[in-house]
Amino acid sequence: MYHAPTDLDAALDLMAGASGTVIAGGTDVYPAAGAGPVPQTMLDVTGIAGLSDIDTGPNGVRIGAAVRWSTLARADLPPAFDALKTAARAVGSVQIQNAGTLGGNLCTASPAADGVPPLLILDAAVEVSSAAGGTRQLPLSAFLTGPRQTALQPGELLTAILIPPPSAGLVSAFEKLGSRRYLVISITMVAAAVALDDAGRVRDARVAVGAASPVACRLPALEAALVGRNAQDFAIDPAHLAPLAPIDDVRGSAAYRRDAVAEQCRRALRRAASA
Ligand SMILES: Cc1cc2nc3c(=O)[nH]c(=O)nc-3n(C[C@H](O)[C@H](O)[C@H](O)COP(=O)(O)OP(=O)(O)OC[C@H]3O[C@@H](n4cnc5c(N)ncnc54)[C@H](O)[C@@H]3O)c2cc1C
């Protein structure tokens, strides 16, 4: 049975009443099925009113959970969102970007999900809704509870990603390392944002790393050390990378990932500071 509601309340009623698989672009759902059967009951969220909209207002930016990467890449958003837009252009291929959604990326909760670091540096929260519980919001960092694990409860849909108004002058950049340019899972990725004072020194810094810990995370010691400094030639200390716990796998060794992240931090900070 394939349900494609256009109304959120109808979708939440379906979620409450049946067990099935939520699907958006399907670019994670179908590969996950492998050679086995695809889920028998699916709830397609991409036609639900409002879930594919990007709205900007006094409280910041609201990105519907079913907004596709290609829409995000072309969206008119402040420079603080440049990392997210660069990540959108780096996901998979044009075909994947035309089908895949930001919400699907967050719900899959891969440690290598390209959408997560650019949202962490924006202090993003998520909005989840259910028929029984109404709507609740939680920080993205609390939504992602582990590799491929989220705080979504049975009956809940991710409905939006909420970004508070970015601080004045904040500009971001995204660095993705893969074994080739496109159609590749990140070995590591870094999103960085800086706002500079009149003397060109860092006033506000945010750095987040993906694919180097069970869940992508911010680097608070690096962010604090950057304040008052020149982001163009800042030396990354191993202590700045303390929250990371990279693993050895087919894509790279832990040591390689640490080295790569340090270089990606330097590059992302330089690009954000010179934009
Ligand atoms: C060839 C290929 C290349 C890829 N390259 C990249 C890449 O470079 N970077 C990257 O990060 N990812 C990549 N991916 C993974 C995938 O494309 C992304 O994670 C994409 O954003 C998933 O979105 P989707 O809409 O297709 O999710 P779907 O497959 O539809 O859903 C993914 C998961 O989220 C759940 N879900 C979706 N929407 C909701 C919702 N609103 N509420 C609750 N649950 C929901 C589904 O039940 C499912 O568990 C790639 C995939 C493929 C096949």
Side-chain angles (χ1 to χ4, degrees), residues 219 221-222 234-244 246 258-259 261-262 266:
L219 298 179
L222 174 57
F234 185 80
I236 310 284
D237 187 280
H240 296 146
L241 308 182
L244 304 182
R258 273 192 191 280
D259 287 350
V261 164
R266 280 189 283 272

Side-chain angles (χ1 to χ4, degrees), residues 189-217:
M189 72 285 217
V190 168
V194 291
L196 305 180
D197 64 18
D198 291 343
R201 306 275 162 191
V202 174
R203 181 166 45 78
D204 183 0
R206 294 110 184 266
V207 184
V209 179
S213 50
V215 179
C217 61

Side-chain angles (χ1 to χ4, degrees), residues 22-29 31 45 65 69 90-92 96 100-101 104-105 107-108 112-114 152 157-158 176 183-184:
V22 175
I23 187 165
T27 63
D28 279 320
V29 167
V45 297
W69 291 113
V91 167
I96 296 295
T101 64
N105 193 246
C107 291
T108 295
D114 283 321
L152 269 182
L157 277 182
L158 175 66
K176 170 170 176 164
L183 269 173
V184 69

Side-chain angles (χ1 to χ4, degrees), residues 126-176:
V126 296
E127 177 193 273
V128 299
S129 306
S130 67
T135 295
R136 65 186 177 107
Q137 294 178 8
L138 64 166
L140 176 60
S141 54
F143 178 75
L144 300 167
T145 53
R148 303 195 178 272
Q149 288 167 8
T150 72
L152 269 182
Q153 297 298 310
E156 283 186 329
L157 277 182
L158 175 66
T159 39
I161 296 96
L162 310 170
I163 295 121
S167 64
L170 198 70
V171 180
S172 70
F174 180 73
E175 289 284 330
K176 170 170 176 164

Side-chain angles (χ1 to χ4, degrees), residues 55-62 165:
D55 297 304
T56 303
N59 295 327
V61 176
R62 175 192 174 89

